[in-house]
Amino acid sequence: MDIINSISTQLISGNDKDVASDTKKALDSGISAETILNDGLIMGMNIIGDRFRDHEVFLPDVLMAAKAMYAGMELIKPILIKSGISSRGKIVIGTIQGDLHDIGKNLVGIMLKGAGYEVIDLGHDVSPEKFVEVAKETGATIIGMSALLTTTMANMKEVVKILKNENLDGKIRTIIGGAPVSDQYASDIGVDKYSFDAGNAVDIVKELMA
Amino acid sequence: MNIRPQVRFLSDQLIEKILDESRDILCKLGTKIHNEGILEMLSGFGAKVDRTTNNVIYTQEIIDKALSTVPSSFKLYDTSGEETHDFCDNNVYFTPGSAALNILDSETGEIRRPGTSDYIKYVKLVSSLDNITSQSTALVPDDIHEKISDSYRLYLSLMYGKKPVVTGTFTVDAFNVMREMQIMVRGDSKNLKEKPLTVFSCCPTSPLKWSDVTSQNVIDCGENRIPIEFIAMPLTGFISPVTITGTLVAHTAETLSGIVISQLANPGAPLLYGGSPAAFDIRYETTPMGAVETQMIDCAYNEIGKYLGIPTQAYISLSDSKRLDAQAGLESAMGATLAVLSGINSISGPGMLDFENCQSLEKLVVDNEICGMTLRMAKGIVPREDFPALPHFQELLKENHLLISDHTRKYLKDEHYFPGKVIDRANLSRWQSEGSLTLKERAKSEVDKHIANYTPTDLPEEVKKGLTGLMITESKKHGMDSLPEQNV
């Protein structure tokens, strides 16, 4: 399993090329794609996530690791799909209708992808209907919404209403983030969870999908 | 293209005028020196000495002679002989405020006398604070005989810490013991002369007086090439004129007299042009170190020292508050900022509260971050592959962010100072999720973490045994059969 450890180590160091070549070597030696994903790539991302939380490494280090994660994922994804193993989970994200401020949401996307989740990023100014429609189409189990403006954050509530009307609440969970929203606001509008930053979003997704 | 950010309070003309007036005072009024040997020595160089009053009237010639031999720089080395300080130009180094009689107890909030265990914790903590380059003998333990509390502080500092030590003696006799300890660390006196390990504070008594102990200390240190820092302490409107300019004249006269004693006895002896003057508060009869005027006097005499080509020191970046509160932060930060911008070479102050009377380990951790921020500021604004700017913006528009661009990764840690966890930069929700900790709580937790992670220094065991033997001999002279327990 040295090669699996090497995948983790190279991923933590952000060496995408080495992660790709190690992943290839691991596949060639007969190690399953699922083992590579869980014990190599995700393991590495978990370690760097913890280090990030403890300020031992900084955001660029996490993003470099995420980039290395994609390099490994590229190689194992076709095999995972073929063998019927889905990704770690699917999440639809976007900035809510009326709002063009998407840098925080983009960061959440990178971090979630880095953690091994499949992310469908709808961009900014996304209507509540669109969020639900895409989640249904793709089989995503979480919708993540962001807002920077107090004038747009109210639109997040519409997503919750639609899910309720379609009896999807509980099946498709909701997370919100952004400067004007809070834990309190999330519970006021019936959203499942509030995340205070991109690192925290990964923890919450993990918790909701557990 | 780059400048070292700097503040100035005095014009060259004003500096020259202050120097002229100070020299005039030394040549007309002189200073009292209560030390027979020094009076003899100065008389030999042509000073007019009055044996009945111990007053010395200086001459312009001996002042010039003394100034001509003061080194413009010197270095310090840690216990393993590694260079840590190069006191010259605008190089700045922080050292904790020294010789506090009290400690702010982090558990009880009580201001009390410190013991050996407090001192050891302090040394362990300072060992791991990156922005504080030397230790000072910051506390005076009360579980040792007061006659040897000076050598005992140095003993504990050398046993547990690696960084050079800013210290001083309370008696003439202690000097020999403290010198002996340093020789043990260095191996022999020649090595100690070549690689100084300590700086001794030598304080004239304002106005215009030198005690036997401190003046003798100037001579003893010079003979052994142990660097000293002059700590003149005029107080505005009390024992020096009420104005900043008048107090600068007093400070300059007292410091110049020290330079004369030092350099005539031992030409080339290393020294810092230092001090601890204060803007006397006539309402409380106190000496506020956080007063803006105190800090202005510090920065200004530093300019005079630099004008004379001598490295400088000041007690600045400390607070008069009795608690780790907003006053403690604002006074320390303002002082540290001004000190760094003035290029004061040795900045004494971190950790200190209550007019230099009380050390706080929690404050030391907070001040370490103030030091880090100001040291970053001193590096100024330097273009780092910023030009041409166009490619960076092309990359930004292409990638939507620059978080992992080569430029970011290459310069992130040089360009930005990242403080430790004591400084709160979390958003509200994260802060709440981590326990809504106050500054004091975070500082306490950092102190505990630093002390828990302490690793002993590489000082050889036989040196430690030698130091302990020396200290036991000293303590026996004062009726103590053994040294206090060192369990921390």
Side-chain angles (χ1 to χ4, degrees):
Chain A
M1 294 297 277
D2 283 351
I3 193 75
I4 293 290
N5 289 336
S6 177
I7 291 173
S8 270
T9 312
Q10 297 301 343
L11 180 138
I12 290 165
S13 308
N15 298 329
D16 54 349
K17 286 183 184 132
D18 292 329
V19 168
S21 68
D22 280 350
T23 303
K24 194 162 181 318
K25 271 185 222 160
L27 287 171
D28 291 346
S29 71
I31 298 172
S32 76
E34 204 179 355
T35 304
I36 295 169
L37 175 67
N38 293 325
D39 299 348
L41 300 173
I42 291 176
M43 179 68 85
M45 282 310 293
N46 285 343
I47 292 170
I48 199 154
D50 290 345
R51 289 187 189 169
F52 176 58
R53 213 176 355 260
D54 293 338
H55 297 185
E56 287 171 28
V57 298
F58 298 154
L59 195 53
D61 305 297
V62 181
L63 299 187
M64 288 304 287
K67 204 174 160 202
M69 170 98 183
Y70 306 158
M73 280 300 283
E74 293 261 305
L75 296 167
I76 59 168
K77 206 172 165 186
I79 304 165
L80 289 172
I81 292 169
K82 212 185 271 178
S83 55
I85 300 162
S86 59
S87 69
R88 214 178 169 192
K90 275 186 204 169
I91 304 133
V92 170
I93 63 168
T95 301
I96 198 69
Q97 196 163 44
D99 212 321
L100 303 177
H101 302 90
D102 64 354
I103 54 169
K105 178 270 299 171
N106 292 345
L107 200 53
V108 170
I110 298 169
M111 298 283 270
L112 286 171
K113 267 196 237 172
Y117 296 99
E118 195 174 326
V119 177
I120 300 121
D121 187 346
L122 302 178
H124 50 70
D125 194 15
V126 181
S127 70
E129 294 77 14
K130 180 84 175 168
F131 273 111
V132 178
E133 186 189 312
V134 175
K136 278 176 9 195
E137 269 170 28
T138 56
T141 54
I142 293 177
I143 291 174
M145 297 167 272
S146 79
L148 185 80
L149 306 173
T150 48
T151 48
T152 60
M153 67 184 196
N155 296 332
M156 294 168 157
K157 199 178 174 180
E158 293 305 310
V159 174
V160 179
K161 272 191 198 159
I162 299 170
L163 289 173
K164 215 169 226 166
N165 290 343
E166 300 192 20
N167 287 326
L168 288 169
D169 53 329
K171 289 177 196 131
I172 297 176
R173 317 291 294 274
T174 46
I175 306 175
I176 59 169
V181 301
S182 63
D183 221 1
Q184 185 59 51
Y185 186 71
S187 77
D188 287 350
I189 64 168
V191 156
D192 290 304
K193 287 279 179 185
Y194 158 73
S195 129
F196 55 71
D197 62 25
N200 184 236
V202 175
D203 291 339
I204 286 172
V205 166
K206 265 185 216 167
E207 187 190 317
L208 288 180
M209 290 206 179
Chain B
M1 201 183 275
N2 315 329
I3 54 161
R4 199 275 191 197
Q6 200 152 11
V7 296
R8 279 203 65 173
F9 288 92
L10 303 178
S11 65
D12 284 355
Q13 292 95 316
L14 185 52
I15 290 176
E16 279 168 25
K17 185 66 182 154
I18 290 168
L19 279 165
D20 283 349
E21 295 290 325
S22 317
R23 293 168 73 121
D24 197 42
I25 284 166
L26 290 178
C27 295
K28 289 186 177 144
L29 296 178
T31 66
K32 284 192 168 46
I33 303 176
H34 297 272
N35 183 298
E36 192 56 39
I38 294 172
L39 291 177
E40 189 74 41
M41 186 261 301
L42 292 177
S43 171
F45 279 103
K48 204 190 289 172
V49 173
D50 183 337
R51 301 283 176 170
T52 53
T53 59
N54 293 325
N55 204 62
V56 178
I57 301 291
Y58 298 72
T59 65
Q60 295 288 354
E61 290 71 31
I62 63 172
I63 298 171
D64 284 337
K65 185 177 170 59
L67 284 173
S68 71
T69 59
V70 186
S72 58
S73 70
F74 66 89
K75 293 176 179 180
L76 290 181
Y77 301 81
D78 67 18
T79 58
S80 69
E82 289 293 313
E83 181 185 318
T84 54
H85 296 65
D86 185 4
F87 289 122
C88 67
D89 304 326
N90 284 320
N91 292 352
V92 289
Y93 305 92
F94 283 96
T95 191
S98 69
L101 285 174
N102 294 318
I103 187 167
L104 175 62
D105 190 302
S106 55
E107 302 292 339
T108 64
E110 180 196 358
I111 290 181
R112 59 165 174 80
R113 289 299 311 272
T116 296
S117 63
D118 294 309
Y119 196 94
I120 294 172
K121 277 186 193 167
Y122 154 77
V123 177
K124 288 182 172 180
L125 174 62
V126 171
S127 298
S128 69
L129 297 179
D130 291 342
N131 304 312
I132 295 178
T133 325
S134 60
Q135 339 174 26
S136 68
T137 42
L139 293 161
V140 185
D142 77 338
D143 50 0
I144 192 87
H145 195 284
E146 69 267 15
K147 286 269 171 63
I148 52 168
S149 58
D150 43 12
S151 52
Y152 185 60
R153 296 182 304 168
L154 180 62
Y155 160 70
L156 292 177
S157 277
L158 296 176
M159 288 290 283
Y160 291 92
K162 192 172 177 177
K163 295 179 179 179
V165 192
V166 175
T167 187
T169 62
F170 303 149
T171 63
V172 171
D173 294 341
F175 177 80
N176 285 332
V177 184
M178 294 170 79
R179 184 189 62 135
E180 206 54 40
M181 286 178 179
Q182 296 182 66
I183 290 172
M184 277 183 178
V185 171
R186 285 284 183 256
D188 58 44
S189 60
K190 184 173 168 285
N191 280 339
L192 179 62
K193 282 180 182 170
E194 283 170 5
K195 291 192 166 186
L197 175 62
T198 58
V199 175
F200 274 51
S201 300
C202 297
C203 317
T205 311
S206 292
L208 303 166
K209 276 195 293 288
W210 284 90
S211 71
D212 180 34
V213 176
T214 50
S215 57
Q216 186 58 45
N217 212 219
V218 172
I219 304 291
D220 292 340
C221 285
E223 275 172 12
N224 291 281
R225 283 294 187 266
I226 293 171
I228 55 172
E229 54 185 27
F230 287 118
I231 310 292
M233 295 180 263
L235 302 172
T236 58
F238 183 12
I239 47 173
S240 65
V242 72
T243 54
I244 291 176
T245 307
T247 296
L248 286 170
V249 172
H251 177 275
T252 309
E254 288 175 3
T255 308
L256 283 181
S257 69
I259 291 172
V260 169
I261 297 170
S262 156
Q263 298 299 306
L264 292 189
N266 297 289
L271 60 88
L272 292 172
Y273 194 98
S276 186
F280 187 66
D281 193 308
I282 39 91
R283 301 166 305 167
Y284 292 96
E285 302 163 41
T286 52
T287 56
M289 304 311 294
V292 67
E293 298 83 0
T294 298
Q295 298 176 0
M296 289 166 75
I297 298 167
D298 289 333
C299 295
Y301 80 64
N302 154 75
E303 289 173 36
I304 297 171
K306 285 191 183 306
Y307 188 82
L308 294 170
I310 306 171
T312 58
Q313 179 277 351
Y315 277 89
I316 186 169
S317 77
L318 56 169
S319 173
D320 307 316
S321 177
K322 317 301 178 282
R323 285 285 178 269
L324 182 52
D325 57 11
Q327 183 183 339
L330 80 91
E331 290 175 342
S332 303
M334 184 166 67
T337 306
L338 284 172
V340 165
L341 290 179
S342 296
I344 295 173
N345 300 110
S346 182
I347 306 168
S348 302
M352 200 62 100
L353 294 164
D354 187 20
F355 316 95
E356 302 183 17
N357 286 323
C358 180
Q359 260 290 343
S360 156
L361 302 190
E362 286 69 30
K363 181 172 187 288
L364 209 44
V365 166
V366 175
D367 289 356
N368 179 56
E369 301 303 352
I370 294 175
C371 301
M373 292 180 200
T374 55
L375 290 170
R376 164 64 190 94
M377 185 176 57
K379 289 182 189 160
I381 298 173
V382 183
R384 303 178 198 269
E385 295 183 53
D386 285 292
F387 309 132
L390 194 65
H392 299 304
F393 289 83
Q394 285 168 331
E395 184 181 358
L396 172 59
L397 295 179
K398 181 169 170 251
E399 302 292 336
N400 289 325
H401 64 80
L402 292 173
L403 285 165
I404 55 172
S405 81
D406 289 344
H407 189 246
T408 301
R409 286 185 292 129
K410 189 168 174 187
Y411 294 114
L412 178 71
K413 288 179 185 172
D414 288 334
E415 189 73 1
H416 299 271
Y417 172 70
F418 291 97
K421 288 192 169 178
V422 73
I423 300 297
D424 169 33
R425 288 190 183 172
N427 63 34
L428 176 64
S429 299
R430 179 167 179 172
W431 176 75
Q432 287 167 333
S433 78
E434 291 175 353
S436 306
L437 299 176
T438 63
L439 175 80
K440 212 173 105 190
E441 290 166 329
R442 293 194 301 275
K444 169 87 172 63
S445 148
E446 287 296 290
V447 167
D448 293 345
K449 197 176 80 190
H450 282 292
I451 292 173
N453 292 338
Y454 167 81
T455 47
T457 69
D458 49 9
L459 195 67
E461 274 311 308
E462 68 265 23
V463 176
K464 288 186 182 173
K465 272 187 197 149
L467 291 171
T468 304
L470 200 60
M471 204 62 239
I472 289 172
T473 308
E474 281 305 295
S475 63
K476 281 185 176 158
K477 285 184 200 164
H478 296 280
M480 291 180 75
D481 290 336
S482 60
L483 298 175
E485 285 293 319
Q486 294 183 18
N487 299 330
V488 175

